[in-house]
Amino acid sequence: MANTQEEQQKLLHLRKQIFITGYKGGMAHLASCYSCLEMVYALYCKGILRFDATNPKWEDRDRFILSKGHAGLALYGVLMEAGLISEEMYHSYLMEDAQIGGEPCMRDCDWVEATTGSLGHGLSMGQGIAMALQMDQKDAGVYVMLGDGELEEGTVWEAVMSAPAFGLSNLVAILDCNDIQKMDFVEKTIGAPKWGEKFASFGWNVVEVDGHDMEAFTNCLLGLRETADRPTLVIAHTVKGKGVSIMEHNPNWHFKLPGRKELKVFKEELGITDAELE
Amino acid sequence: MNSAYIGKLMELAEKDSNVIHLLADSGTGYDEMFRRNFPHQIYNFGIAEENMVAAAAGMATAGKIPFVFTAGAFLAYRSMEFIRDDVCFQNLNVKIVGMGSGLSWSSLGPTHHTTEDLAVLRAIPNLMILSPATPKQVMECVQLAYEHVGPVYIRIGMNHEKEFYPEDYRMQATANDTLMDGGDLAVFVTGSILEEVHKACEMLQADGVQPKLVNVTSIKPFQPQEVVAAAQAGMPIVTVEEHNIHGGLAGVIAEEVAFAGMGARVYPIGIEDVFAAGYGNQLMVRKANGLDAEHIYRRMKEVRTNE
């Protein structure tokens, strides 16, 4: 995998922080966080998104919307890693006087571009931002991360239809294609939709990438900035629960914390001590 | 009311290029004129109301002032979660304009009736709710919505509503208008049913009964002064609305009366927790549901008798 040793260490550290924070909080969508973590990290820490660290509302910034909001701990974790929010804010998760909860919320954090949580909202909101940027002839881009289960929401397809019609070359949808939704595999729930063909049929540019390979993902997104003449869907193939063997590609882990025996595996594989969980 | 709306919106769009006219394939009849004048300030999302509302929220985060326009039923019911989560929770500067208030879509039946919108939307924090009765009031509400930074819902009729206000009328923010000042009963009305209620009140006057007629334009925030005054004077309070008697104007006023312990009785006239009956023009459907001037007059007479 084309992630450097140093990056691997950072990602391991982030997985650990996400777990400790979620575990202490008493609930978390760990597996969903782990499938998209490399991509969210690359967006903020490998130069894909242009932003001003001193001004979250800089008008010319690129926007990122985590439409699959239940991976909020991954987004907030990366914002912490990028130095945009404090560790104190991150670790307040679900505590008394919590500053953040399980879904990204604009009320809680200036770096959140759209409050999400109810699925099927983010692409439409991102589209609206892309339209406004286009009206003002700004060069900024809008990146919206969707889950593959989320594509079952009908409103996603309203935006899939309208974005090419409005000529939004500044809009990129990133599909965290981890094959699993809350109760089961996506395929067992609604069959095997060919997402790429469907988006393409509505006029989207479609590319595929390994969502855990940060170099490939970064090059892909930076390349789009130069070439896109219409909205693009990036199908990112990922593993739900990536990084913890018993959670990987296992539909039981959508919204679950480990029991006593399972906890041993998490501690071993993420390098967590008893003291860190107290 | 549609022509009043679009006329006012064009005036705003000319002054402020951030004013954007958003449609979901159901317009005002004057949209091509708007497009000719302001081609970069109008977008038709097609038949996709939720997408339009969420996109409007996105635009507002980037400094635009979108005015979303389509049938009120498709906004208040179909798009409710998008109004709640995307617009109101973030307190974004989006204006939501629902046309065809009450029974305006009289030929199409209850799928198009907007008779629960106030109840549905009134429960959402941060949302200002305006319910103009006449074309001049529509223009004033659009101006107020533009000046108010935050989400606003405007509920407008669509069937050549009668004007009750003078040419130089200026709405006083969210204050109510007293149109008749009697002391026998206090009648509160909202929306374009004012036309029927005004007639009914004139019929009462012909009988020697002097109603106080208050037109309520701002449902939320609601100014309770006239309700307090009526309760203190011991006047029976009547509400009339082209809306379910639950959760709309009657609900607002009953809450005011009960929460403040005013001890007055509220007599609600409206759609009595049913899906409205009948088809035809708006007057025919109002009649079928007891909301034409004659029915309203008789109900108000009963109130007088009961008191």
Side-chain angles (χ1 to χ4, degrees), chain A residues 115 118 121 124 136 158 162, chain B residues 51 55 59 64 81 86 90:
Chain A
T115 296
S118 177
H121 288 236
S124 292
D136 293 340
E158 294 186 356
S162 57
Chain B
N51 187 31
M59 284 182 198
K64 300 298 169 194
E81 190 199 48
D86 305 345
Q90 317 336 307

Side-chain angles (χ1 to χ4, degrees), chain A residues 8 14 51 61 78 109 124-125 171 199 260 262 274:
Chain A
Q8 292 291 49
L14 267 174
F51 57 88
R61 71 193 183 278
V78 169
C109 177
S124 292
M125 284 192 276
L171 180 66
F199 274 67
R260 199 165 49 85
E262 294 159 334
D274 285 334

Side-chain angles (χ1 to χ4, degrees), chain A residues 61 63 105-107 113-121 123-129 131-136 155 158-160 162-163 166, chain B residues 17-18 20 22 40-41 43-45 47-52 54-64 78 81-82 85-86 89-90 92:
Chain A
R61 71 193 183 278
R63 270 77 161 180
C105 182
M106 294 167 80
R107 183 180 63 179
E113 300 286 1
T115 296
T116 49
S118 177
L119 295 173
H121 288 236
L123 191 58
S124 292
M125 284 192 276
Q127 172 188 232
I129 298 172
M131 292 168 79
L133 293 171
Q134 198 183 56
M135 287 178 221
D136 293 340
T155 45
E158 294 186 356
V160 170
S162 57
F166 291 135
Chain B
S17 62
N18 283 325
I20 314 292
L22 299 186
H40 305 298
Q41 289 166 258
Y43 294 89
N44 180 4
F45 279 79
I47 309 157
E49 296 81 8
E50 295 134 278
N51 187 31
M52 169 173 68
M59 284 182 198
T61 69
K64 300 298 169 194
R78 188 182 200 112
E81 190 199 48
F82 293 75
D85 288 7
D86 305 345
F89 184 20
Q90 317 336 307
L92 289 171

